[in-house]
Amino acid sequence: MGKPRQRKEDSPYVKHLKQLAKSHPTGLTPNLLRLFDPPPPVEYKEPIEKKELPPYTGIAQFVSCFENLSIDDQESQAKVETIAERRARVNAARLEKGKEKLAEEIPKYAYKHADGTKIDNRRILVDVERGRTVKNWLPKRLGGGLGNARSSQPEATPQRGGRYRGDYRRREEEAAREKRRGEKRGRGSDS
């Protein structure tokens, strides 16, 4: 048989740790105790000598050097436009110009035809109130609206009033074409 195993508490490492714990009341090792050592004392320096300065005085002796302005002139010169005020002024001028341009352009179109056109690189959106102007109109949340995004069978959805959809006519033509093809196939197989 081999030599007997040492117990963990008898190993040299454990003995070393026990010895270290006895050396300081906190039980911290020397490398940790060094972290808590006080810093070296601050080096003494001579105080700085203050220079003699002239006494404080007012500006009364210099008033004659300034221009003699009235109160109204001072108020007009003191008025300075801030960045926010300038931005608001420029934006208001831009909107005013846009309104004028829009007033010139809109009479050229009926309101339905102006939708999507551009004035000064800005797209015009014509919003039509369909709730009171289009008969049998239902809002999208009640199953109506433009298009058929919420229906499972787009062909079965009845067409309600609203904006003209060009693809509706195309769907009807495709359905008629398919119907004619089916009739031709049916005739050819009977012979």
Side-chain angles (χ1 to χ4, degrees), residues 145-148 159 162-171:
L146 297 178
N148 49 11
Q159 196 68 3
R163 209 178 266 187
Y164 169 71
R165 294 181 48 92
D167 59 342
Y168 181 71
R169 182 175 289 157
R170 182 177 45 82
R171 268 190 269 131

Side-chain angles (χ1 to χ4, degrees), residues 74-143:
Q74 290 174 2
E75 288 177 2
S76 65
Q77 286 186 353
K79 180 84 172 145
V80 177
E81 187 178 48
T82 64
I83 294 172
E85 291 171 340
R86 181 178 187 278
R87 195 176 291 145
R89 182 179 51 82
V90 169
N91 198 19
R94 188 179 300 141
L95 286 175
E96 191 62 37
K97 179 186 165 199
K99 285 179 185 176
E100 292 170 4
K101 186 81 169 178
L102 187 64
E104 291 173 14
E105 293 288 328
I106 285 297
K108 297 177 186 176
Y109 302 98
Y111 77 93
K112 290 180 183 177
H113 301 293
D115 190 23
T117 59
K118 287 190 173 185
I119 297 177
D120 288 339
N121 290 328
R122 290 182 179 214
R123 186 176 172 272
I124 296 176
L125 174 68
V126 177
D127 189 18
V128 180
E129 183 191 0
R130 292 185 168 83
R132 290 185 279 182
T133 59
V134 178
K135 190 175 181 181
N136 297 330
W137 172 259
L138 283 176
K140 192 161 203 146
R141 63 188 167 85
L142 297 177

Side-chain angles (χ1 to χ4, degrees), residues 14-26:
V14 172
K15 287 180 182 177
H16 174 67
L17 288 176
K18 284 183 179 179
Q19 183 64 29
L20 288 175
K22 291 179 184 175
S23 65
H24 194 270
T26 59

Side-chain angles (χ1 to χ4, degrees), residues 173 175-185 187:
E173 291 172 357
R177 230 180 278 129
E178 286 294 322
K179 187 176 179 183
R180 279 186 256 131
R181 284 185 193 148
E183 291 173 1
K184 287 181 183 178
R185 288 185 196 133
R187 275 188 264 146

